[in-house]
Coordinates of all heavy atoms in Angstrom, one line a residue:
G1 N 0.8 -1.3 0.0 CA 0.0 0.0 0.0 C 0.7 1.2 0.1 O 0.4 2.2 0.4
N2 N 2.1 1.1 -0.5 CA 2.9 2.4 -0.5 C 2.3 3.4 -1.5 O 1.5 3.0 -2.4 CB 4.4 2.1 -0.7 CG 4.6 1.5 -2.1 OD1 4.5 2.2 -3.1 ND2 4.9 0.2 -2.2
H3 N 2.9 4.6 -1.5 CA 2.2 5.7 -2.4 C 2.4 5.4 -3.8 O 1.4 5.5 -4.6 CB 2.9 7.0 -2.1 CG 2.8 7.4 -0.5 ND1 3.3 6.8 0.5 CD2 2.0 8.5 -0.1 CE1 3.0 7.4 1.6 NE2 2.1 8.3 1.2
L4 N 3.5 4.7 -4.3 CA 3.7 4.5 -5.7 C 2.6 3.4 -6.1 O 2.0 3.5 -7.2 CB 5.1 4.1 -6.1 CG 6.1 5.4 -5.9 CD1 7.5 4.9 -6.3 CD2 5.6 6.5 -6.8
A5 N 2.5 2.4 -5.3 CA 1.8 1.3 -5.5 C 0.3 1.7 -5.8 O -0.5 1.3 -6.6 CB 1.8 0.1 -4.6
C6 N -0.1 2.5 -4.8 CA -1.5 2.9 -4.8 C -1.9 3.8 -6.0 O -2.9 3.7 -6.8 CB -1.8 3.9 -3.6 SG -2.0 2.8 -2.2
V7 N -0.9 4.7 -6.5 CA -1.1 5.5 -7.6 C -1.2 4.6 -8.8 O -2.0 4.8 -9.8 CB -0.1 6.6 -7.8 CG1 0.1 7.2 -9.2 CG2 -0.2 7.8 -6.7
A8 N -0.3 3.5 -8.9 CA -0.2 2.7 -10.0 C -1.5 1.9 -10.2 O -2.2 1.9 -11.3 CB 0.9 1.7 -9.8
S9 N -2.1 1.5 -9.1 CA -3.3 0.7 -9.2 C -4.4 1.6 -9.4 O -5.5 1.2 -10.2 CB -3.6 -0.1 -8.0 OG -4.7 -1.0 -8.1
S10 N -4.6 2.8 -8.9 CA -5.7 3.7 -9.0 C -5.6 3.9 -10.6 O -6.8 4.3 -11.2 CB -5.5 4.9 -8.3 OG -5.9 4.6 -6.9
T11 N -4.5 4.2 -11.2 CA -4.4 4.6 -12.6 C -4.9 3.4 -13.5 O -5.6 3.7 -14.4 CB -3.0 5.0 -13.0 OG1 -2.4 6.0 -12.2 CG2 -2.9 5.4 -14.4
V12 N -4.5 2.2 -13.0 CA -5.1 1.1 -13.8 C -6.5 1.1 -13.9 O -7.3 0.9 -14.9 CB -4.5 -0.3 -13.2 CG1 -5.4 -1.4 -13.7 CG2 -3.2 -0.4 -13.5
L13 N -7.3 1.4 -12.7 CA -8.7 1.4 -12.6 C -9.3 2.6 -13.5 O -10.2 2.4 -14.1 CB -9.1 1.6 -11.1 CG -8.8 0.4 -10.3 CD1 -9.1 0.6 -8.8 CD2 -9.6 -0.9 -10.7
E14 N -8.6 3.6 -13.5 CA -9.1 4.8 -14.2 C -9.1 4.5 -15.6 O -10.0 4.9 -16.4 CB -8.2 6.0 -13.9 CG -8.4 6.7 -12.5 CD -7.3 7.7 -12.1 OE1 -6.7 8.1 -13.0 OE2 -7.3 8.0 -11.0
V15 N -7.9 3.9 -16.1 CA -7.9 3.7 -17.6 C -8.8 2.5 -18.0 O -9.4 2.5 -19.0 CB -6.4 3.2 -17.9 CG1 -6.3 2.7 -19.4 CG2 -5.5 4.5 -17.8
I16 N -9.0 1.4 -17.2 CA -10.0 0.4 -17.4 C -11.3 0.9 -17.6 O -12.0 0.6 -18.6 CB -10.0 -0.7 -16.2 CG1 -8.7 -1.5 -16.4 CG2 -11.2 -1.5 -16.4 CD1 -8.7 -2.4 -15.2
E17 N -11.6 2.0 -16.8 CA -12.9 2.6 -17.0 C -13.1 3.6 -18.1 O -14.0 3.5 -19.0 CB -13.4 3.4 -15.8 CG -14.7 3.9 -15.5 CD -15.1 4.5 -14.3 OE1 -14.2 5.1 -13.5 OE2 -16.3 4.5 -13.9
S18 N -12.2 4.5 -18.2 CA -12.2 5.5 -19.2 C -12.1 4.9 -20.7 O -12.6 5.5 -21.6 CB -11.1 6.6 -19.0 OG -9.8 6.1 -19.1
E19 N -11.2 3.9 -20.8 CA -11.1 3.3 -22.1 C -12.0 2.0 -22.4 O -11.7 1.4 -23.5 CB -9.5 2.9 -22.3 CG -8.7 4.1 -22.2 CD -7.3 3.9 -22.5 OE1 -7.0 2.7 -23.1 OE2 -6.4 4.9 -22.5
H20 N -12.8 1.8 -21.5 CA -13.9 0.7 -21.6 C -13.3 -0.7 -21.9 O -13.6 -1.3 -22.8 CB -15.0 1.1 -22.8 CG -15.5 2.5 -22.7 ND1 -16.4 2.9 -21.7 CD2 -15.2 3.6 -23.3 CE1 -16.7 4.1 -21.9 NE2 -15.9 4.6 -22.8
L21 N -12.3 -1.0 -21.1 CA -11.4 -2.1 -21.3 C -12.2 -3.4 -20.9 O -11.8 -4.5 -21.5 CB -10.1 -2.0 -20.6 CG -9.1 -0.9 -21.2 CD1 -7.9 -1.0 -20.6 CD2 -9.0 -0.9 -22.6
L22 N -13.2 -3.3 -20.0 CA -14.0 -4.6 -19.8 C -14.7 -4.9 -21.1 O -14.8 -6.1 -21.4 CB -14.9 -4.4 -18.7 CG -14.3 -4.2 -17.2 CD1 -15.3 -3.9 -16.2 CD2 -13.4 -5.4 -16.9
Q23 N -15.3 -4.0 -21.7 CA -16.0 -4.2 -23.0 C -15.1 -4.7 -24.0 O -15.4 -5.6 -24.8 CB -16.8 -3.1 -23.4 CG -17.8 -3.3 -24.6 CD -18.8 -4.3 -24.2 OE1 -19.6 -4.4 -23.2 NE2 -18.9 -5.4 -25.0
N24 N -14.0 -4.1 -24.2 CA -12.9 -4.4 -25.2 C -12.5 -6.0 -25.0 O -12.4 -6.6 -26.0 CB -11.8 -3.5 -25.2 CG -10.8 -3.8 -26.4 OD1 -11.2 -3.6 -27.4 ND2 -9.6 -4.3 -26.0
T25 N -12.3 -6.3 -23.7 CA -11.9 -7.6 -23.4 C -13.1 -8.6 -23.9 O -12.7 -9.6 -24.5 CB -11.7 -7.8 -21.9 OG1 -10.7 -7.0 -21.4 CG2 -11.5 -9.2 -21.4
K26 N -14.3 -8.3 -23.7 CA -15.4 -9.2 -24.1 C -15.4 -9.2 -25.7 O -15.6 -10.3 -26.3 CB -16.7 -8.7 -23.7 CG -16.8 -8.9 -22.1 CD -18.1 -8.3 -21.5 CE -18.2 -8.4 -20.0 NZ -19.4 -7.7 -19.5
D27 N -15.3 -8.2 -26.3 CA -15.3 -8.0 -27.8 C -14.2 -8.8 -28.4 O -14.4 -9.5 -29.5 CB -15.2 -6.5 -28.1 CG -16.6 -5.7 -27.8 OD1 -17.5 -6.4 -27.4 OD2 -16.5 -4.5 -27.9
I28 N -13.0 -8.5 -27.9 CA -11.8 -9.2 -28.6 C -11.9 -10.6 -28.3 O -11.4 -11.5 -29.1 CB -10.5 -8.6 -28.0 CG1 -10.4 -7.0 -28.4 CG2 -9.3 -9.3 -28.6 CD1 -10.5 -6.8 -29.9
S29 N -12.4 -11.0 -27.0 CA -12.5 -12.5 -26.7 C -13.4 -13.1 -27.8 O -13.0 -14.2 -28.2 CB -13.0 -12.7 -25.3 OG -13.1 -14.1 -25.1
A30 N -14.6 -12.5 -28.0 CA -15.5 -13.1 -28.9 C -14.8 -13.3 -30.4 O -15.0 -14.3 -31.1 CB -16.8 -12.3 -29.1
Y31 N -14.1 -12.3 -30.7 CA -13.4 -12.4 -32.1 C -12.3 -13.5 -32.1 O -12.2 -14.2 -33.1 CB -12.7 -11.0 -32.4 CG -12.1 -10.8 -33.7 CD1 -12.8 -10.9 -34.9 CD2 -10.7 -10.8 -33.9 CE1 -12.2 -10.7 -36.1 CE2 -10.0 -10.7 -35.1 CZ -10.8 -10.7 -36.3 OH -10.3 -10.5 -37.4
F32 N -11.6 -13.6 -31.0 CA -10.6 -14.6 -30.8 C -11.3 -16.0 -30.9 O -10.7 -16.9 -31.7 CB -10.0 -14.5 -29.5 CG -8.7 -15.3 -29.2 CD1 -7.5 -14.9 -29.3 CD2 -9.0 -16.7 -28.9 CE1 -6.3 -15.7 -29.0 CE2 -7.9 -17.5 -28.7 CZ -6.6 -17.1 -28.8
I33 N -12.3 -16.2 -30.3 CA -13.1 -17.4 -30.4 C -13.5 -17.8 -31.9 O -13.3 -18.9 -32.3 CB -14.2 -17.5 -29.5 CG1 -13.7 -17.4 -27.9 CG2 -15.1 -18.6 -29.8 CD1 -14.8 -17.2 -27.0
E34 N -14.0 -16.8 -32.5 CA -14.3 -17.0 -33.9 C -13.1 -17.3 -34.8 O -13.2 -18.3 -35.6 CB -14.9 -15.6 -34.4 CG -15.3 -15.7 -35.9 CD -15.7 -14.2 -36.3 OE1 -16.3 -13.5 -35.5 OE2 -15.7 -13.9 -37.5
K35 N -12.1 -16.7 -34.5 CA -10.8 -17.0 -35.4 C -10.3 -18.4 -35.0 O -9.7 -19.1 -35.9 CB -9.7 -16.0 -35.0 CG -10.0 -14.6 -35.5 CD -10.1 -14.3 -37.1 CE -8.7 -14.3 -37.7 NZ -8.8 -14.0 -39.2
A36 N -10.3 -18.8 -33.8 CA -9.8 -20.1 -33.4 C -10.5 -21.3 -34.0 O -10.0 -22.3 -34.3 CB -10.0 -20.2 -31.8
Q37 N -11.9 -21.0 -34.3 CA -12.6 -22.1 -34.9 C -12.1 -22.5 -36.4 O -12.5 -23.4 -36.9 CB -14.1 -21.6 -35.0 CG -14.8 -21.6 -33.6 CD -16.1 -20.9 -33.6 OE1 -16.5 -20.2 -34.4 NE2 -16.7 -21.0 -32.5
G38 N -11.4 -21.6 -36.9 CA -10.8 -21.8 -38.2 C -9.5 -22.5 -38.3 O -8.9 -22.8 -39.3
I39 N -8.9 -23.0 -37.1 CA -7.8 -23.7 -36.9 C -8.1 -25.1 -36.4 O -8.3 -25.3 -35.1 CB -6.8 -23.1 -36.0 CG1 -6.6 -21.6 -36.4 CG2 -5.4 -23.8 -35.9 CD1 -5.6 -21.3 -37.4
S40 N -8.2 -26.1 -37.3 CA -8.5 -27.4 -37.1 C -7.6 -28.1 -36.0 O -7.9 -29.0 -35.4 CB -8.6 -28.3 -38.3 OG -7.3 -28.3 -38.9
A41 N -6.4 -27.7 -35.9 CA -5.3 -28.4 -35.0 C -5.7 -27.9 -33.6 O -5.2 -28.6 -32.7 CB -3.9 -27.9 -35.4
I42 N -6.5 -26.9 -33.4 CA -6.9 -26.5 -32.1 C -7.9 -27.4 -31.6 O -9.1 -27.5 -32.1 CB -7.3 -25.1 -31.9 CG1 -6.1 -24.0 -32.3 CG2 -7.8 -24.8 -30.5 CD1 -6.5 -22.6 -32.5
K43 N -7.6 -28.2 -30.5 CA -8.6 -29.3 -30.1 C -9.5 -28.7 -29.1 O -10.8 -29.1 -29.0 CB -7.8 -30.4 -29.4 CG -7.0 -31.1 -30.6 CD -7.6 -31.5 -31.8 CE -6.8 -32.1 -32.9 NZ -7.4 -32.2 -34.1
H44 N -9.1 -27.7 -28.2 CA -10.0 -27.1 -27.2 C -9.6 -25.7 -27.1 O -8.4 -25.3 -27.0 CB -9.9 -27.9 -25.9 CG -10.3 -29.2 -25.9 ND1 -9.5 -30.3 -25.9 CD2 -11.6 -29.8 -25.9 CE1 -10.1 -31.4 -26.0 NE2 -11.5 -31.1 -25.9
L45 N -10.7 -24.8 -27.0 CA -10.4 -23.5 -26.5 C -10.9 -23.2 -25.1 O -12.1 -23.5 -24.8 CB -11.1 -22.5 -27.4 CG -11.1 -20.9 -27.1 CD1 -9.6 -20.5 -27.2 CD2 -11.9 -20.1 -28.0
K46 N -10.0 -22.9 -24.2 CA -10.3 -22.7 -22.8 C -10.2 -21.3 -22.3 O -9.5 -20.4 -22.8 CB -9.3 -23.5 -22.0 CG -9.4 -25.1 -22.2 CD -8.5 -26.0 -21.2 CE -8.6 -27.3 -21.4 NZ -7.7 -28.1 -20.4
G47 N -11.0 -21.1 -21.2 CA -10.9 -19.7 -20.5 C -12.0 -18.8 -20.9 O -12.9 -19.2 -21.6

């Protein structure tokens, strides 16, 4: 909880919110899953 650590983490939260990174994570994940379906050598997609 030192001063630099708190500023680092608070900034992470600010950027996640202001740049809509939760939504970007969902959008890119859906695109990733779609692309993975085109690779027959991939037996399972996890996570």
